[in-house]
Amino acid sequence: MTAIPHGRTRRTPLVSALCALVVGSTGLAGCSEDPDAGTNGVGKLPAAQIQSKTTAAAAAVDAVRLSGSVVTSGHTYKLDMSLKADGGTGSVTAEGVAFHLLRVGEQLYLKADASFWNKEDGKAGDGSDTAAADKLDGKYVKVPTGDPSYKKFSGFTDKDLLLDGLLTLHGSLATDGHHEQSGVRTIRITGDGGSGGKLDVSLEGKPYPLRLERAGGAGTLSFSAWGKDFDLEEPAKDETVDYGKQLPSS
């Protein structure tokens, strides 16, 4: 896939500085630059069309990395995930406990330390709990498809499902000016003046979403590495534990 170019990131500040110098020394007005000059052109479109183009661009690309926080059902999850069509890998932190997810096709693995597996907020309930936690400590545990954890955690590794749920602004759409994210020029669109979410869309290369503030303070996410492939392989057998039909802490 085409990488997002960075060659023009200093152009706007430089031109603005020169413009200010000319105006200050000559008193002439009207020195300005088209903020959409040299861009992919989506900044000139209505907000609804920008949203349509950015969601289409996100759906068409093979891989992406997303990082940030998501608040759902009263819980805050911190994510750093690399995703593509057939799976994903990365870290999730919930309620101060971190764990690693890996999905290859339909097979989902979860890796965490013993404190994750111990019951009662990290305190073992009895000797059997401690033994199970020690057995799973630092291992990739196969998550059975019928386990309650499978649906919950596999969603964090599903590119299309995750982006479909995240890249939604609520309410009346509008544009909110030109901005910059990590050196890339963007156009921002909002829902209901920002209360329904804010989304920065790249003006360079493909109109990929680069930063999202979810409605109602439900988290902020950054998107990067669009189209950059990565290895996705099942862990070695000596790194894997198959616990059976249900995980111990489900």
Side-chain angles (χ1 to χ4, degrees):
M1 300 297 294
T2 303
I4 297 175
H6 295 272
R8 301 189 186 94
T9 57
R10 301 300 176 191
R11 181 170 178 265
T12 298
L14 177 59
V15 172
S16 299
L18 292 174
C19 180
L21 179 61
V22 170
V23 172
S25 61
T26 65
L28 297 176
C31 181
S32 63
E33 184 194 17
D34 179 0
D36 293 301
T39 71
N40 55 27
V42 298
K44 297 180 179 180
L45 300 177
Q49 290 188 33
I50 298 174
Q51 184 182 46
S52 177
K53 284 185 174 294
T54 195
T55 52
V61 77
D62 293 332
V64 64
R65 179 178 179 180
L66 63 85
S67 59
S69 62
V70 173
V71 181
T72 179
S73 301
H75 298 284
T76 299
Y77 297 91
K78 293 183 179 180
L79 310 178
D80 188 356
M81 302 295 301
S82 293
L83 308 172
K84 57 183 181 179
D86 58 346
T89 183
S91 64
V92 179
T93 302
E95 299 179 359
V97 179
F99 52 95
H100 186 90
L101 292 176
L102 169 64
R103 183 175 63 84
V104 183
E106 294 298 315
Q107 184 59 63
L108 177 67
Y109 299 89
L110 189 156
K111 182 170 74 171
D113 61 22
S115 65
F116 176 89
W117 298 107
N118 277 331
K119 297 181 180 180
E120 299 179 358
D121 296 327
K123 297 179 180 179
D126 55 32
S128 62
D129 292 334
T130 302
D134 290 342
K135 177 182 178 181
L136 303 180
D137 182 22
K139 296 286 188 178
Y140 282 99
V141 179
K142 285 187 177 182
V143 182
T145 56
D147 190 273
S149 298
Y150 186 91
K151 183 177 181 180
K152 178 179 181 180
F153 291 139
S154 64
F156 290 132
T157 67
D158 190 320
K159 170 184 173 288
D160 292 337
L161 179 64
L162 199 56
L163 293 184
D164 286 347
L166 291 174
L167 297 179
T168 301
L169 299 177
H170 302 279
S172 178
L173 297 180
T175 55
D176 186 27
H178 292 70
H179 300 268
E180 185 178 295
Q181 296 296 332
S182 300
V184 178
R185 288 179 291 172
T186 66
I187 182 69
R188 181 171 297 167
I189 56 176
T190 64
D192 278 349
S195 61
K198 301 178 183 179
L199 181 64
D200 276 42
V201 178
S202 176
L203 288 174
E204 303 182 22
K206 299 289 185 180
Y208 295 130
L210 296 184
R211 187 176 185 273
L212 170 70
E213 292 183 28
R214 300 184 71 206
T220 300
L221 289 165
S222 295
F223 306 89
S224 61
W226 287 102
K228 293 185 178 180
D229 197 14
F230 57 93
D231 293 332
L232 198 59
E233 298 179 352
E234 293 190 28
K237 288 186 178 181
D238 60 356
E239 298 178 326
T240 306
V241 174
D242 189 346
Y243 204 83
K245 294 182 179 181
Q246 188 172 9
L247 299 184
S249 299
S250 296

